[in-house]
Amino acid sequence: GHYAPLSSLWGWTDTQTKSEWALVGLRDGATFVDITNPTQPRAVAYLPLTEGARPSSWREMKTYKDHAFIVSDGAGPHGIQIFDLTRLRTMKPQPNGRPWKVEADFIYRDVNSVHDMVINEESGFAYPVGSSGGGNTCGGGLHMLDIHDPKNPKVAGCFADTETGRQRTGYIHDALCVMYKGPDKRYKGHEVCIGSNETMLSLQDVTDKKAPKVISRAAYPKVGYTHQGW
């Protein structure tokens, strides 16, 4: 049948219906697939890329409060598509089995191309990273967004560790942001991000969005490209 190269995916479980969904990235958009019955996945909805953006091999998505946040890299003016996943509750595939075409609920346009979408669901903050091609790129570092109201993201700050990255801009290829629950009492309850910054790892304290700071860096021998971590 129909062949389309895929680019990343994420999962969402509907808290109300307990249905399970795969959010699947394509070169030209994203498809929402009902996988509640894993042997009979059903593509229910298709969200095309932002109008005016280009198809791209890179698409990433994460979820928060029943909303999907979708970005694309090398895509021109794509921004962050925000889609209310609760809309899927009442949808079934078309009679011919094809997904319905849907539109984003909101598009955040203060970034254009974004390499990865990082969300800390515990803090309610999103961190698009690896931004380029216009908008507020934050040097490709952390573009901090308050997403407590998911359809109305608010910029909270920017941070880039300029000791890292191939161009020394602090470019982050991928990151994980969490609430610290480890043994170091100094950081108990702090929000920290672990950035894979091309040339090394960069550990950053982002608790105060107006004054984030680097906690430490870690390099390693024969580094090729510090790409991602978890």
Side-chain angles (χ1 to χ4, degrees):
H2 179 66
Y3 168 77
L6 307 183
S7 176
S8 200
L9 79 163
W10 196 248
W12 174 67
T13 302
D14 188 329
T15 44
Q16 224 169 291
T17 66
K18 300 295 181 245
S19 299
E20 286 191 55
W21 292 81
L23 287 46
V24 182
L26 313 170
R27 279 183 56 80
D28 60 0
T31 299
F32 304 105
V33 184
D34 184 343
I35 55 167
T36 311
N37 179 350
T39 58
Q40 286 182 305
R42 301 181 312 152
V44 173
Y46 164 70
L47 174 64
L49 51 73
T50 303
E51 206 172 320
R54 298 185 294 273
S56 163
S57 305
W58 298 282
R59 194 168 305 282
E60 292 287 347
M61 62 296 296
K62 297 287 190 307
T63 58
Y64 175 70
K65 276 191 181 170
D66 299 331
H67 286 70
F69 294 75
I70 303 168
V71 298
S72 186
D73 193 4
H78 187 275
I80 302 171
Q81 295 177 317
I82 300 171
F83 181 79
D84 186 341
L85 294 161
T86 62
R87 289 165 58 187
L88 299 170
R89 280 177 192 153
T90 52
M91 294 177 72
K92 302 268 180 285
Q94 295 182 63
N96 65 5
R98 308 284 289 175
W100 296 96
K101 195 169 168 180
V102 292
E103 284 184 8
D105 291 273
F106 182 77
I107 299 174
Y108 177 80
R109 296 183 181 274
D110 201 19
V111 287
N112 281 349
S113 283
V114 176
H115 187 71
D116 202 2
M117 188 69 219
V118 180
I119 290 179
N120 181 357
E121 291 187 68
E122 259 191 281
S123 70
F125 279 85
Y127 302 91
V129 296
S131 304
S132 63
N136 193 355
T137 65
C138 299
L142 300 170
H143 183 112
M144 307 186 215
L145 287 176
D146 183 334
I147 55 169
H148 285 92
D149 177 1
K151 291 186 187 76
N152 185 24
K154 295 257 191 292
V155 185
C158 248
F159 188 60
D161 175 4
T162 53
E163 295 288 302
T164 66
R166 285 182 167 174
Q167 310 298 319
R168 290 289 183 270
T169 60
Y171 174 93
I172 297 176
H173 200 69
D174 183 29
L176 182 66
C177 298
V178 296
M179 304 312 293
Y180 182 78
K181 297 184 173 79
D184 191 329
K185 291 186 175 53
R186 291 172 301 173
Y187 296 101
K188 195 176 163 65
H190 283 226
E191 186 172 10
V192 296
C193 293
I194 300 125
S196 296
N197 291 25
E198 300 189 305
T199 54
M200 64 182 81
L201 293 162
S202 174
L203 181 62
Q204 302 163 13
D205 186 338
V206 298
T207 313
D208 179 355
K209 305 293 182 284
K210 297 275 176 279
K213 48 187 179 288
V214 177
I215 298 169
S216 65
R217 302 180 186 93
Y220 48 91
K222 297 198 174 98
V223 58
Y225 192 91
T226 306
H227 187 270
Q228 70 180 132
W230 194 256

